[in-house]
Amino acid sequence: MEHEQLVFCSRPEVGLKAIVAIHDTTLGPALGGTRMWHYHSEDEAIKDVLRLSRGMTYKAAISGLNFGGGKAVIIGDSRTDKTEAMFRAFGKFIDGLAGRYITAEDVGMTEREMSWIHFETNHVTGIPKSLGGGGDPSPVTAYGVYMGMKAAAKRAYGSDSLSGKRIGIQGAGSVATHLARYLKNENATLFVTDIFKEKAQKLADETGAKSVTPDDIYTLDLHIFSPCALGGVINSDTIPHLSCDIIAGGANNILDDEKKHARMLQDREILFTPDYVINAGGIINISTELQNEGYNEKLAMERTSEIYNTVLKIFEYADTQNLTPVEASNLLAEDRIQKVSSLQSIYKPKHTHST
């Protein structure tokens, strides 16, 4: 995937085994969260961090941000393995990259861990508001998914109203929870699931949703399916079972094979909303922490609301070019990166040599 850098971080005495992937820094320093997950192998972790970091490059580019794409993963159980020593050691590795990579929250992480990392480096976002940061970015991420979902509804049904729409949410984490609250307020009919049954039931109780099993979520008769957990869930096994008009979720890398499965969805007339576009509220939110004047929540929400227009632009471009929405989005993002790269080449200072 043409990454610029892959860094392995190891401090066995504090239980740290991490990988940082920097995909592209054409538009600016690589910005992306740290995920803590109990990977079954190092190869699995490498594949995940490579795909996630590439997605961040496209996410920043399509969102008009002046940042590149990067990501980090920590191999471990986020429920049992976290210690201050681990994350301070990780913070030192991040600091050693000298600003090429700026980290933030992702799956398995909270503001507490960001604070520990912040003890060792300034190259971290998503720190608590009490420390001048934006805090947990998941509410803004969820708002972006909500706006992208409304744009997809506008495209599919002629109206962006989600009232009465049957919407299935896969996952019951922070983003899914905030998304469900937005949808409840718009009187959508909700179905939720999670690998941890108690989490799904808690979210169902709060929002009036129906809790279903992880397998059943794929076969429900839905208007919109919203994967908000892990990636790769739309694949050759699950696509034949889908009964929905739209897929619009907050997870990264929802399609197991980007090209193949985007085409399969198109053949089935299921409108896929590119995940890295509609879940960009998180990176938009944390990017505002890096401005000279500091975090601005109002500005973050205003910029995130633009996801609505970006999604409609992608659908229109896909139609005119006979592309899937993913192909269209990728081309638009790559075009911006290429234009900036060309400008950098033109204005690069020439080296002079003296004798």
Side-chain angles (χ1 to χ4, degrees), residues 305-350:
S305 69
E306 283 299 308
I307 287 174
Y308 182 98
N309 293 324
T310 302
V311 169
L312 292 178
K313 176 183 176 181
I314 289 167
F315 288 151
E316 182 179 354
Y317 185 65
D319 275 354
T320 60
Q321 301 298 317
N322 192 28
L323 301 168
T324 66
V326 174
E327 291 169 334
S329 181
N330 286 353
L331 284 175
L332 290 169
E334 289 165 1
D335 183 62
R336 179 170 181 243
I337 294 170
Q338 182 58 45
K339 285 177 179 177
V340 172
S341 179
S342 297
L343 287 172
Q344 290 172 345
S345 298
I346 292 171
Y347 292 108
K348 184 177 181 182
K350 294 181 178 179

Side-chain angles (χ1 to χ4, degrees), residues 13 20 26 42 81 131 138:
E13 67 273 21
V20 179
T26 302
E42 189 174 281
D81 296 347
L131 297 177
S138 60

Side-chain angles (χ1 to χ4, degrees), residues 38 95 140 148 210 217 248 251 276 324:
H38 189 57
D95 200 59
V140 186
K210 180 180 179 181
I217 197 72
Y276 68 76
T324 66

